[in-house]
Every structure is written in structure tokens, then in C-alpha cells.
Amino acid sequence: MNNLNKTIAEKITATLQHAGFTAYFAGGCVRDALLGRTPKDYDVATDARPEEVEALFPKTLPLGKAFGVIAVIDSGVTIEVATFRVEVGTLDGRRPETVHFSAATEDAKRRDFTINGLFYDPATKTVLDYIGGREDLEKRVIRAIGDPHLRFQEDHLRMMRAIRFTHTLDFSLEEKTAEAIKQLAPLLPRISAERIEMELSRILVEARHPGDALRDLARLGLLEQIIPEMMPMIGQEQPPQFHPEGDVFEHTVLMLNAMTERSRELAYSVLLHDVGKPPTATIGAGTDGKPRIRFDGHAAVGATVSEAILRRLKLPKKEIEHIVAAIHGHMRFMDVQQMRTATLRKMVGAETFPLELELHRLDCLGSHAMLDNYDFLQAFKDKMASEPILPDPWINGRDCIQLGLSEGKAIGKLLKEAYEGQIENRFADREEALAWLKNQI
Ligand code: ATP
Ligand code: MG
């Protein structure tokens, strides 16, 4: 699939060049190819005007024609072809007022980070570097092109992109670029919640070490702008016997870094599972009678707080439900070995159980590292899987007593027969089973 994308992008570039235009691969795909990573998509940049691009290819879409972006469709593949441009007057910190079409050297300078400002000519197999991108790729550095203050003032979302590229590529964030984010972070809320969330979840899902990325978001002042409710987690002490790793924030960082399976639901469940700890912290008696910090009811409080956060971030309703359920239930896992089988069956059968179990596993790994409850549940699940799944009985002892029966032994025998009848489909529903029971009595 990706090879086809590359082939089509090469074909489009060649068509433009044969018509006398300059045309290159641009941005992320050049970066990824030089890093030996598979590019997500191939973008083409050219000095041909949008109308000229449209005239050259049979199938196009005016994606962002005012900004010079035309989608060219070939063999089912869509490639964005953008005219070299300079963006002018970003008054709101979100999008440019207008654009001027320009040359490749200027188009490179309007891009966000040096490693994203490279071009590649597939015809001559050469990289065109007008902004020092190759050097930074080698040094593994994320550096804003030009003055980082100006660049982040133009487009505040770039601050989130800086963290994303730093942590998905495992690069370091250049000093002055980081300093500018620290100063301008308070501007971030001018960006729509949806766009901020998209970057945040990409960071949590795609980063090599999402916990380290969270540390950077906090250190540079971005977390405070996105999820201020999390700030009291920093420095929130916990009983060292349960949490040798340190404060609530540190515990969350460790869990995020331990994530193997990656999904948005799991990432937010981990991120927010203990957000209810700071508001519920009290000094109370521990099991040994000595005073210790307690967080009674923190799962329920955390669920409420998380729901408000996730709504504000505009996550889909279903995902919010799943995440909130996982957070609400996360302390039940401490008691599973004392639970009744029926309770366990219900827990294991829940739609959110795989999510909850993984959250619990990480919770253990991020603290005492003891997985006995996790192992117990896995074993229980395996045992259940090897047994046929039986429905709940329609008739119970209460029905018999209500019908005037009092002898335990007789009730037991009737219940057994009623359940057999149910399993063997001799009754259509509970009503029929009850009618049968009355008859027997
Ligand atoms: P990925 O697709 O993996 O997220 P990418 O680098 O391809 O990474 P895109 O968002 O697809 O990122 O953008 C393509 C290119 O457009 C970038 O490489 C960069 O050169 C430029 N670009 C994207 N967003 C911005 C922005 N907010 N400010 C400046 N340049 C940008
Ligand atoms: Mg891209």
C-alpha cells in the first residue's frame, strides 16, 4: 500500500517536472525516509499554481485551493500537491490570513521544525535542505525553524507538535524551542479542544515513552493548560508501603511508560485513573492502626472528574463511557480473590473487562509490581472459557417461597428441574416457567 503511495507520488512529481515545473517530495515523508521509518503519507510540493496542477491531472479535488493545496487522485491513492507558499498574518494563532505563492526556499521556512522542512527530488535522488534539517536529523533534535517565539505565536498548536515529534521520534527538544514553549504555553487554549486532543492522544499512543512525554508537557506548562485537574497529582504523597515509586504523578508516568498495548482508551484510563487522589487525600488509620495517607473514594471521584475532562476534550461518548467505567472500577481489583464467583463472572464478562484488566496490570507494574490479582483473574477467565456459558436461572428460591413452599429439600429439587427445563428450552420464558412451578406445587 505504502509502496503504491510512493510510486504514485513519484509519478505525479515526474508529470509536473516534465511540464516544466519544479516538484519535490516534502516534509514528513522526507524526514521519515531519511530516518528509515515508513512514511505515513507522501506530500508533493511544487511551483505550479493550483489551476496548473488541476489542468495536468485528470482527477483532482480542490482540498485547500485558497492555500494552494490540491488533492490528486490516481489508482485509488490520494496525494496532496501543494504550491510553494509563504503564510501571512496569523492573527489568531490558528491559521494564516492569506498565503503568497513562492519558491521552495521560502516554503521550507514556513514549515514548523527543521526536520520537517526538507525536500527530496525523486528524479535525481537528492535531498534539498534550506533550513539545516539534515544536521538536526543527525543530531536528533527538534528545533523550530527561525525564531521559536514567532513560530509558536503564529500557530500555537506547534507547541503540541513539538512534544509529539520529540517523543515519537525519541529526539531531544532544543533549548530555545523548549524555552519558547514555556513562555507561550498559556496561549494554547486558543486552539480548539478537538485539535489539542488529537495531538495529546497521538502523543500518548505513539510516543516511545509516553510517561516521559507527560513529564515534558508538565515541565513546559502545557499540561496545566490542557488538564489543570492533573496538576495537584505532582507532589501528592502516597503511603510508601503501597507506592514505593513516589508521588501520584510519578506513579502515572511509570504506568504510561509501561504501556505495551496502545489505544486511546487505555492511554486516558491510565492518565486519569488516580486524578481523584489529591481531592480525597486525608490522614486516617492504616490497617496497622498507625496513621497514613488515605484516598477513600478516590476511584468514584476520579471517574466524575475524568468524565468532565474527557467531555471538555470532546472525546466520543462511547469512549468516555469506557474510560470512566475503567477508572470507577479500578480499586475493585484489590479484592478479587475474596469475591463471590457470581460477582467475578459479572466482572469478567463486562464489555470493558479487557481494558480494566490491562489498567490493573499497569497499576501493579507502576507500583509494587505484584501481579497476583492479575494472575488470579487470568486463571479465572481461562477456567470460565473452558466451561459452557450458562444463563442466569429464571426461577429462584424466592419464587417457591412466595408460592407457599417451605421445605428446603423440595425447593432444591424443584429449582433443579426448573433450571433443566429452562436450559432444555421446555419453557419459552420466565412466565411459562412460573406457570409450570405453580402446577408442580
Ligand atoms: P505525521 O503525518 O507523521 O504527523 P508530518 O510531518 O507528515 O507528520 P503533517 O501534519 O502531515 O505532519 O504535515 C506535513 C508537513 O506540513 C509537515 O512535515 C510540516 O512540514 C508541515 N506542517 C504541518 N503542520 C504544520 C504547522 N502547524 N506549522 C508549520 N508547518 C506545518
Ligand atoms: Mg503527514
Side-chain angles (χ1 to χ4, degrees):
M1 181 62 196
N2 211 274
N3 250 330
L4 179 61
N5 281 17
K6 187 181 177 203
T7 309
I8 301 296
E10 280 171 356
K11 192 173 144 197
I12 291 169
T13 309
T15 305
L16 284 159
Q17 290 179 348
H18 288 144
F21 298 109
T22 303
Y24 304 130
F25 287 2
C29 63
V30 183
R31 172 201 70 213
D32 288 341
L34 287 172
L35 286 172
R37 299 164 70 102
T38 311
K40 270 212 339 240
D41 39 38
Y42 287 82
D43 297 318
V44 171
T46 178
D47 62 352
R49 299 297 165 104
E51 306 74 40
E52 294 171 319
V53 175
E54 286 174 323
L56 267 178
F57 300 95
K59 206 170 166 197
T60 62
L61 278 176
L63 257 198
K65 201 172 170 185
F67 298 117
V69 184
I70 300 290
V72 175
I73 300 150
D74 184 341
S75 316
V77 169
T78 303
I79 301 286
E80 287 184 23
V81 178
T83 306
F84 296 137
R85 66 182 190 259
V86 195
E87 294 174 342
V88 223
T90 46
L91 292 180
D92 61 356
R94 284 178 283 188
R95 45 186 62 88
E97 289 284 283
T98 54
V99 304
H100 292 320
F101 296 134
S102 67
T105 48
E106 285 175 293
D107 184 84
K109 293 193 188 99
R110 65 137 184 115
R111 294 171 184 270
D112 47 7
F113 305 106
T114 56
I115 61 159
N116 286 348
L118 295 166
F119 298 112
Y120 177 74
D121 183 348
T124 58
K125 295 187 170 31
T126 46
V127 174
L128 295 100
D129 181 5
Y130 303 115
I131 34 66
R134 287 204 86 159
E135 194 186 327
D136 283 343
L137 265 184
E138 257 147 53
K139 288 203 258 172
R140 303 178 71 80
V141 167
I142 300 299
R143 181 198 314 271
I145 296 176
D147 177 351
H149 279 85
L150 291 180
R151 305 315 308 284
F152 293 139
Q153 267 160 356
E154 277 170 13
D155 178 353
H156 313 322
L157 194 68
R158 288 176 188 153
M159 297 191 279
M160 292 297 287
R161 287 173 60 89
I163 307 296
R164 170 157 68 86
F165 289 118
T166 299
H167 288 276
T168 52
L169 300 174
D170 217 6
F171 276 31
S172 61
L173 185 58
E174 183 266 332
E175 195 65 36
K176 290 206 178 80
T177 305
E179 206 46 51
I181 296 178
K182 226 178 201 172
Q183 285 181 26
L184 299 172
L187 297 177
L188 186 68
R190 292 195 195 172
I191 300 288
S192 74
E194 289 90 340
R195 295 178 74 211
I196 294 176
E197 193 287 320
M198 204 184 290
E199 288 297 331
L200 178 61
S201 53
R202 284 196 66 182
I203 290 169
L204 295 174
V205 170
E206 296 174 30
R208 193 81 77 84
H209 305 292
D212 296 356
L214 178 67
R215 270 203 195 103
D216 265 357
L217 287 170
R219 174 176 73 90
L220 299 174
L222 293 166
L223 184 63
E224 194 180 339
Q225 302 301 325
I226 312 169
I227 312 181
E229 295 90 337
M230 284 185 68
M231 298 311 286
M233 291 162 64
I234 301 171
Q236 173 60 61
E237 283 181 47
Q238 322 194 69
Q241 65 271 37
F242 302 123
H243 289 283
E245 76 281 7
D247 69 23
V248 176
F249 188 77
E250 192 54 31
H251 167 62
T252 306
V253 164
L254 289 179
M255 283 175 70
L256 288 170
N257 280 342
M259 280 194 301
T260 40
E261 171 204 320
R262 297 299 182 93
S263 73
R264 184 158 75 170
E265 287 189 1
L266 180 63
Y268 278 115
S269 301
V270 171
L271 186 74
L272 299 173
H273 79 289
D274 273 350
V275 75
K277 275 189 170 175
T280 56
T282 53
I283 302 288
T287 37
D288 55 2
K290 288 190 194 138
R292 73 159 171 94
I293 306 169
R294 302 189 60 92
F295 305 103
D296 294 342
H298 80 268
V301 171
T304 307
V305 175
S306 299
E307 185 168 0
I309 293 169
L310 297 168
R311 279 201 187 155
R312 192 175 68 222
L313 291 175
K314 305 254 162 51
L315 251 70
K317 210 169 144 243
K318 258 263 131 20
E319 270 182 63
I320 296 182
E321 270 172 30
H322 293 165
I323 298 163
V324 169
I327 293 172
H328 195 277
H330 84 271
M331 292 305 287
R332 285 180 307 161
F333 282 73
M334 310 303 158
D335 311 320
V336 288
Q337 301 198 48
Q338 286 80 51
M339 273 181 193
R340 290 172 46 220
T341 307
T343 314
L344 276 174
R345 282 182 96 133
K346 221 171 126 198
M347 183 169 172
V348 172
E351 182 193 7
T352 48
F353 183 70
L355 173 67
E356 295 183 73
L357 185 63
E358 187 58 13
L359 175 64
H360 171 70
R361 189 182 73 90
L362 294 166
D363 208 357
C364 298
L365 289 184
S367 51
H368 47 65
M370 296 205 303
L371 290 172
D372 42 344
N373 289 332
Y374 175 81
D375 293 337
F376 172 83
L377 280 168
Q378 286 284 26
F380 181 81
K381 222 177 67 176
D382 291 346
K383 201 178 112 215
M384 287 245 315
S386 62
E387 281 172 12
I389 298 166
L390 295 176
D392 289 338
W394 283 332
I395 300 292
N396 55 39
R398 224 174 310 127
D399 297 317
C400 299
I401 290 163
Q402 266 174 16
L403 288 172
L405 223 70
S406 59
E407 205 208 321
K409 218 170 168 185
I411 291 181
K413 189 162 164 278
L414 276 172
L415 287 181
K416 191 161 165 272
E417 270 180 55
Y419 194 53
E420 276 167 14
Q422 178 187 340
I423 305 262
E424 288 158 14
N425 295 322
R426 271 186 271 130
F427 318 123
D429 51 21
R430 176 172 148 81
E431 299 317 311
E432 277 191 23
L434 265 180
W436 169 86
L437 182 65
K438 270 186 200 149
N439 225 336
Q440 295 296 309
I441 294 170

